[in-house]
Amino acid sequence: RQNLRALISVYDKTGVVEFARRVAAAGYELVSTGGTHRTLSEVGGLNVRQVADVTGSPEILDGRVKTLHPVIHGGLLARREAPEQMAELSAHGIETIDLVVVNLYPFVATISRPDVTLDDALENIDIGGPTMLRAAAKNFPSVAVVVDPEDYGWVADKLADGGLTTEDRRGLAAKAFRHVSEYDSAVTGYLSTPREQEQLPDRLTISLDKVSGLRYGENPHQSGALYAPVGVAPNGIAGATQLHGRELSYNNLMDADAAWRTVSDFAEPTVAVVKHNNPCGLATREVIAEAYELAYEGDTVSAFGGIVAINRTVDAKTAQAMDAIFYEVVIAPGYDDDALAILQRKRNLRILTVGSEPSGKALDLRPISGGMLVQGADDIEENPTEWKTVTEREPSATERQDLAFAWKAAKHIKSNAIVFAKDRALVGMGAGQPNRVVSVHLSQRIAGDRAKGAVLASDAFFPFPDNIELAAEAGITAIAQPGGSVRDEEVIAAADKAGLAMVFTGVRHFRH
């Protein structure tokens, strides 16, 4: 075809001069706007027409209106295979545009600045760019659209060697629509009112960028990858920096997230050992090495091959204590030099550093067949001093401290969750069982003699007195549970009979 034209208008000018040179060499007339025009003509020395010369209309409103013109969009949207549309272009003196190269104003980068103003944000909402991208992508059989500088190389190769195939164009069009959708989603999120942000909207747009591919998913026959929200620096486990060790797997990341969420819920120095998404060891101490030892002793069998998370900088003494055990991953905000040297002696141990948790109310999303379940985060503020004592005996000060620890631990263990804790350390737990009695049995079996004088936390109410009786036999002295069962009175009576103290929290923490 004759008279091929390319419209190039980009905010991110990475690689655009070289790409434009190759496009021109492939026989395209170049058309551009504003800063891109200056870059291509002055830096690149290319012959480039101004959009204003093509449309016959000057840029107005400080550049807000440049490409929003029938001459531009007629040239983009006309169906080449429709003679009447091509005749209409000819009647109005409009030429076709065959290639659009556009990327958008940095809206996400702008709103991420701590000093951003509303005026700054509004000025960085691109209007002409998305409109051109959508128009070109809609007409992809005739118009190629390039939105990502990473595509410049292979697109230029194709243009120089016979042109792009229909499938090439279709893929580029899908990428353009995806880019615009992500951009619109960011704008929507920014403009949403605090009330709208606190509620679950009627429509929820989720835009994710691929952070990295994974060797496979939960099992070798499943594909896997890590994604993070578009346009923001990943944080939490998705934004962790790996300092050492083998490539992280899907299961490593799942367990690492469970471990990091657990220790992040504690203000005090805390260590968690997680296996298959459940803390099997957890302890709080002012000295982090002591917290680690107690967390490991929570379940020394299950700890093997587990994930360790620590909410303080790891010192050499703690690293030395961990050195004797095989772990898959260690996570912490930082490591002393001596500690890192000790841990790096294990070639395959994955060592991660993690920054602060993301701010705001994150949504919890879980796929089901045919849809998605969405809920707010389980981050309710609780005050243990407000819990209601329902038994004749009040918990002692030590028991209250352990009940608060056990209650927070239960929040991170799969339902039906039972936690035995003593001296702010997990000594036994039961997770993910069809009934709560089995979870109590499992906790008792793990705790053994350590159950004597320990406290118990249950993530939901006890429907029958049998759990209380079993706990008392194990040596439990105090219980925290939500309350709310129709048999609460029977359960309270069983606790009184055994001399236990029991508090109702009024809050449930199911974690399926």
Side-chain angles (χ1 to χ4, degrees):
R1 284 186 54 211
Q2 300 297 313
N3 303 320
L4 293 169
R5 286 201 303 169
L7 196 162
I8 305 176
S9 180
V10 295
Y11 182 87
D12 178 2
K13 295 176 177 56
T14 304
V16 73
V17 171
E18 178 58 27
F19 182 53
R21 286 189 180 128
R22 297 187 66 186
V23 170
Y28 285 76
E29 177 190 25
L30 304 181
V31 179
S32 191
T33 62
T36 307
H37 181 274
R38 286 192 296 275
T39 297
L40 297 181
S41 59
E42 296 175 12
V43 178
L46 291 162
N47 183 20
V48 190
R49 292 181 68 189
Q50 281 275 17
V51 162
D53 296 333
V54 174
T55 63
S57 298
E59 295 183 9
I60 62 173
L61 305 180
D62 296 324
R64 280 191 169 198
V65 179
K66 298 187 288 284
T67 59
L68 296 169
H69 196 285
V71 167
I72 299 299
H73 289 278
L76 290 173
L77 288 166
R79 296 171 57 201
R80 280 41 165 187
E81 75 281 9
E84 66 280 7
Q85 291 192 13
M86 297 305 293
E88 195 172 356
L89 286 192
S90 180
H92 291 285
I94 298 174
E95 297 180 73
T96 56
I97 298 172
D98 308 281
L99 173 66
V100 169
V101 184
V102 169
N103 55 57
L104 307 178
Y105 296 164
F107 180 78
V108 172
T110 298
I111 63 173
S112 298
R113 298 200 316 257
D115 61 345
V116 66
T117 65
L118 179 60
D119 284 345
D120 291 337
L122 294 179
E123 280 304 309
N124 279 277
I125 298 177
D126 204 324
I127 302 300
T131 306
M132 285 192 292
L133 289 176
R134 291 175 65 86
K138 175 176 179 175
N139 204 21
F140 76 83
S142 301
V143 184
V145 55
V146 182
V147 72
D148 185 354
E150 292 291 325
D151 293 325
Y152 288 170
W154 73 266
V155 170
D157 290 342
K158 289 262 187 166
L159 294 179
D161 188 24
L164 295 159
T165 67
T166 300
E167 283 307 303
D168 291 335
R169 295 167 179 272
R170 181 174 183 146
L172 290 167
K175 196 169 191 176
F177 275 118
R178 187 181 306 117
H179 184 68
V180 173
S181 174
E182 292 166 354
Y183 196 84
D184 289 344
S185 176
V187 174
T188 301
Y190 176 77
L191 294 178
S192 296
T193 65
R195 177 176 172 80
E196 289 170 331
Q197 291 172 351
E198 290 171 4
Q199 297 176 337
L200 298 178
D202 292 336
R203 285 186 173 86
L204 183 63
T205 302
I206 303 167
S207 297
L208 303 172
D209 273 336
K210 191 175 186 178
V211 176
S212 64
L214 302 173
R215 285 179 297 162
Y216 50 79
E218 282 185 284
N219 300 291
H221 59 274
Q222 296 173 268
S223 58
L226 171 64
Y227 289 81
V230 167
V232 296
N235 41 35
I237 291 299
T241 299
Q242 184 168 353
L243 303 179
H244 179 75
R246 298 173 60 189
E247 177 186 356
L248 287 157
S249 71
Y250 181 97
N251 292 331
N252 289 155
L253 288 165
M254 287 287 290
D255 284 338
D257 185 59
W260 185 245
R261 284 176 182 268
T262 301
V263 295
S264 296
D265 218 10
F266 290 82
E268 307 87 353
T270 299
V271 177
V273 180
V274 164
K275 194 73 170 288
H276 297 300
N277 252 224
N278 284 299
C280 59
L282 182 68
T284 291
R285 282 293 185 281
E286 289 306 313
V287 177
I288 206 71
E290 294 177 11
Y292 165 73
E293 290 286 3
L294 288 167
Y296 168 68
E297 289 168 6
D299 187 343
T300 58
V301 175
S302 297
F304 181 85
I307 312 284
V308 179
I310 302 170
N311 66 359
R312 294 292 191 276
T313 297
V314 178
D315 57 25
K317 186 175 181 181
T318 305
Q320 193 66 56
M322 285 192 283
D323 191 48
I325 311 301
F326 167 64
Y327 292 118
E328 294 277 3
V329 184
V330 176
I331 313 148
Y335 303 83
D336 290 345
D337 290 343
D338 290 345
L340 193 58
I342 293 167
L343 294 172
Q344 287 176 329
R345 294 195 302 230
K346 295 189 174 184
R347 186 178 65 179
N348 294 328
L349 176 65
R350 301 157 180 92
I351 304 172
L352 307 183
T353 59
V354 187
S356 61
E357 283 295 283
S359 60
K361 303 279 187 179
L363 293 178
D364 183 0
L365 298 93
R366 302 189 189 188
I368 59 172
S369 54
M372 184 82 73
L373 292 173
V374 181
Q375 64 178 352
D378 184 8
D379 56 4
I380 187 172
E381 293 288 336
E382 295 183 77
N383 185 351
T385 63
E386 296 176 356
W387 292 345
K388 180 182 178 183
T389 301
V390 294
T391 49
E392 295 171 357
R393 185 172 76 80
E394 287 274 353
S396 68
T398 300
E399 287 172 331
R400 284 190 180 278
Q401 185 180 56
D402 283 344
L403 286 170
F405 173 91
W407 182 246
K408 196 168 285 189
K411 171 182 169 183
H412 296 278
I413 292 172
K414 300 280 190 179
S415 295
N416 287 312
I418 294 292
V419 168
F420 285 13
K422 188 175 183 179
D423 297 331
R424 293 185 299 163
L426 187 100
V427 296
M429 72 89 172
Q433 298 304 311
N435 71 71
R436 205 162 293 278
V437 174
V438 175
S439 290
V440 176
H441 274 296
L442 291 173
S443 300
Q444 180 183 17
R445 189 180 72 181
I446 294 167
D449 290 339
R450 295 177 299 168
K452 291 181 172 58
V455 305
L456 178 155
S458 171
D459 64 349
F461 61 64
F462 286 124
F464 300 102
D466 50 2
N467 296 275
I468 304 297
E469 294 161 356
L470 187 60
E473 290 173 12
I476 293 297
T477 63
I479 293 173
Q481 59 132 318
S485 169
V486 295
R487 292 188 172 85
D488 273 349
E489 293 306 317
E490 294 178 39
V491 171
I492 294 168
D496 282 333
K497 182 178 179 181
L500 304 183
M502 186 161 63
V503 298
F504 282 2
T505 66
V507 175
R508 188 181 76 187
H509 284 300
F510 271 149
R511 182 168 175 257
H512 283 304

